[in-house]
Amino acid sequence: MNQHSQQLEKPPELERGTTERFSSKGFIVAAIGSAVGLGNMWKFPYITGENGGAAFFLVFIICLLLVGLPVLMAELTVGRGGRGSASGSLVRLSGKPFWGRFGFITIVGAFAILSFYSVVAGWTIHYAVLSFSGQLFHDADYAARFGEFIGGWLPVLWQAIVMLLTGFVVAKGIASGIERFNKILIPAMVVLLVVLMIRGVTLEGATEGVAFFLRPDFSSLTPQAFLIALGHAFFSLSLGMGTMLTYGAYVDRRQSLGAATFAIGLGDLLYALLAGLIIFPTTFAFGIAPDQGPGLLFVALPAAFDAMPLGSLFAGLFFVIVAIAAVTSAVSLLEVPVTYLIERKRWSRVKAATIVTISCLAVGFPSAVSVGGTLPGLEWQGKTFFDWVDFITSNIVLPVGGLIVTLFVGYAWKRAADEAGLTGWWLRIWLAALRYVAPILIVLIFLHSSGLLKL
């Protein structure tokens, strides 16, 4: 065994014992916090609106069962079995260093995603502040307002605030930092979601939006819609970027991974359901199309809140929810490279978190200033620097990362069943999904999201 794999065998903090472990409930809450990011509040409503509402939602649930949950279970199993980073765990379980190189792809991907994800997270905090202060509604031209904001320098400041908060939480450790942070914010987010859902469905004219979201119309489904649902079922669980694998490294041996997988998937699904029951009744009540893309969040919804009684309060609560979802996901993304550096470089957690936070701010600066054209020259072939990082990570790195773990557990790691704790029919179904179903569907996700497959 070469020097690289020897260095990976005994990561100091991961083998120290109970000081770096999630509690049973703490892990599930933290994993749900990782999964329920911007995608379910920002992307899910508009792709549902574009693809037929409730029928698309049902297809999304099916895809979640076919590819999302089996791959999630695989990532958690590798993490707990390897007790290391996305790279180190694969080396330790296989005994072959080349698997570590594949795992390193997900670590780079998580870092790159965080570099631009933190930019959008900063936008949500900015809009929460504007909402509570009432400044958001001073000008009814919300598109121009949003364009002016992202075209200035404020996004850099808000990105820095997000990264400093994220770095602080990760530096505090698993139990004292990540778990405690999520145990406070995720229940608070659920309460706010329920409050806003009640407000949304009780608006005059909201029933049309509820029907659009919950009444299936399969005639509106297309093969393209199926591929979009498949991709979102994969991405909405934070798969392929090493976050669930890394969190799995801190899971207690006594915890049931099958029950945890189900709980995380259910939490992700309920969040998507509540998001839909907030956004669709609200947009339909005020005559706003639900298929306006990302602009739905920062342009269309502010207009709806402006027309609503106590609009500043409800807008502020809404953007607080989105900000919580964004920051809890950012924490899980930062933990991926931090765990790797603790393991590989033998750095302390504080040192690793500090260096990765500063590095991510530097790498993310072009994303913050390119998306609105603050600095010219950061555009190529019609895409900004922000767009390119988003495209490469979301459409290439994540499917490849998910495929690596799927093939590793399905074919290369012979003791996966023992670590997963599955037996009988559940084990057969899981392994069949990983060997025959998930790889094909992940390849379809890659081909479609990268633009190589068009229907």
Side-chain angles (χ1 to χ4, degrees):
M1 189 177 295
N2 63 25
Q3 183 180 1
H4 174 75
S5 58
Q6 287 176 347
Q7 285 180 319
L8 287 172
E9 284 195 334
K10 293 182 180 180
E13 291 202 12
L14 294 180
E15 294 188 353
R16 199 175 289 167
T18 57
T19 57
E20 285 290 300
R21 290 290 181 269
F22 284 115
S23 69
S24 179
K25 292 181 181 178
F27 162 65
I28 292 174
V29 170
I32 290 174
S34 174
V36 296
L38 286 169
N40 275 354
M41 185 60 83
W42 178 358
K43 189 175 182 181
F44 179 75
Y46 85 77
I47 61 174
T48 302
E50 288 178 331
N51 293 283
F56 178 86
F57 186 57
L58 290 177
V59 172
F60 167 70
I61 295 174
I62 294 170
C63 292
L64 205 64
L65 295 173
L66 287 175
V67 67
L69 296 188
V71 178
L72 172 60
M73 179 85 172
E75 290 204 8
L76 296 178
T77 303
V78 171
R80 191 171 72 173
R83 289 293 187 212
S85 68
S87 175
S89 290
L90 291 174
V91 172
R92 190 169 298 106
L93 295 173
S94 67
K96 298 176 181 179
F98 75 85
W99 279 107
R101 298 186 185 99
F102 287 131
F104 187 71
I105 293 172
T106 65
I107 296 170
V108 174
F111 178 85
I113 291 168
L114 183 57
S115 73
F116 76 85
Y117 191 89
S118 57
V119 175
V120 184
W123 297 352
T124 66
I125 297 177
H126 174 71
Y127 266 67
V129 172
L130 288 182
S131 299
F132 281 126
S133 67
Q135 297 178 51
L136 182 60
F137 306 121
H138 285 176
D139 186 351
D141 191 348
Y142 295 104
R145 180 75 171 272
F146 181 60
E148 180 183 352
F149 164 62
I150 62 173
W153 291 99
L154 272 178
V156 178
L157 172 63
W158 287 112
Q159 183 202 17
I161 291 172
V162 169
M163 285 306 307
L164 289 173
L165 174 60
T166 303
F168 174 77
V169 172
V170 172
K172 295 285 286 183
I174 296 299
S176 299
I178 297 174
E179 179 173 328
R180 183 175 296 173
F181 184 71
N182 279 279
K183 276 186 170 179
I184 294 170
L185 290 189
I186 296 303
M189 183 179 71
V190 171
V191 172
L192 294 178
L193 280 167
V194 172
V195 169
L196 281 180
M197 181 199 69
I198 293 171
R199 170 70 280 195
V201 299
T202 54
L203 289 169
E204 186 177 350
T207 52
E208 187 180 350
V210 174
F212 174 82
F213 185 48
L214 297 181
R215 185 183 301 153
D217 178 14
F218 291 99
S219 65
S220 61
L221 281 180
T222 63
Q224 178 90 349
F226 170 77
L227 290 174
I228 293 172
L230 187 62
H232 190 67
F234 183 82
F235 299 134
S236 71
L237 286 172
S238 297
L239 302 177
M241 61 185 78
T243 54
M244 292 303 182
L245 194 158
T246 301
Y247 272 9
Y250 301 103
V251 174
D252 191 273
R253 293 283 180 194
R254 294 167 294 181
Q255 182 146 6
S256 167
L257 292 184
T261 298
F262 177 78
I264 296 164
L266 182 62
D268 182 67
L269 187 62
L270 288 176
Y271 180 83
L273 177 65
L274 290 173
L277 289 174
I278 292 169
I279 289 176
F280 289 114
T282 302
T283 53
F284 273 82
F286 294 101
I288 297 171
D291 57 353
Q292 296 189 26
L296 177 70
L297 208 60
F298 298 103
V299 177
L301 283 174
F305 286 121
D306 189 14
M308 186 187 300
L310 299 176
S312 293
L313 172 63
F314 288 112
L317 294 177
F318 174 79
F319 283 110
V320 165
I321 291 172
V322 182
I324 290 173
V327 176
T328 53
S329 294
V331 165
S332 69
L333 287 166
L334 183 61
E335 181 61 32
V336 176
V338 166
T339 295
Y340 174 76
L341 291 174
I342 291 171
E343 174 185 81
R344 186 75 173 87
K345 299 292 186 181
R346 312 284 176 160
W347 289 351
S348 70
R349 173 170 287 276
V350 172
K351 179 179 179 180
T354 301
I355 290 177
V356 177
T357 297
I358 294 171
S359 301
C360 200
L361 266 175
V363 173
F365 176 77
S367 290
V369 297
S370 69
V371 67
T374 306
L375 285 182
L378 294 173
E379 186 173 325
W380 183 59
Q381 293 190 348
K383 291 182 182 291
T384 65
F385 185 89
F386 178 103
D387 295 330
W388 277 113
V389 178
D390 182 12
F391 178 83
I392 293 170
T393 54
S394 300
N395 302 317
I396 299 174
V397 175
L398 296 193
V400 169
L403 186 62
I404 289 167
V405 174
T406 301
L407 296 177
F408 178 78
V409 175
Y411 293 99
W413 184 24
K414 303 306 180 185
R415 298 188 60 188
D418 295 335
E419 185 62 49
L422 296 178
T423 57
W425 282 104
W426 285 115
L427 176 60
R428 295 187 185 95
I429 291 170
W430 181 54
L431 290 177
L434 292 178
R435 290 172 179 171
Y436 311 117
V437 180
I440 295 172
L441 296 181
I442 292 173
V443 169
L444 283 176
I445 292 169
F446 169 75
L447 293 175
H448 178 254
S449 61
S450 62
L452 298 175
L453 176 63
K454 297 180 180 180
L455 299 176

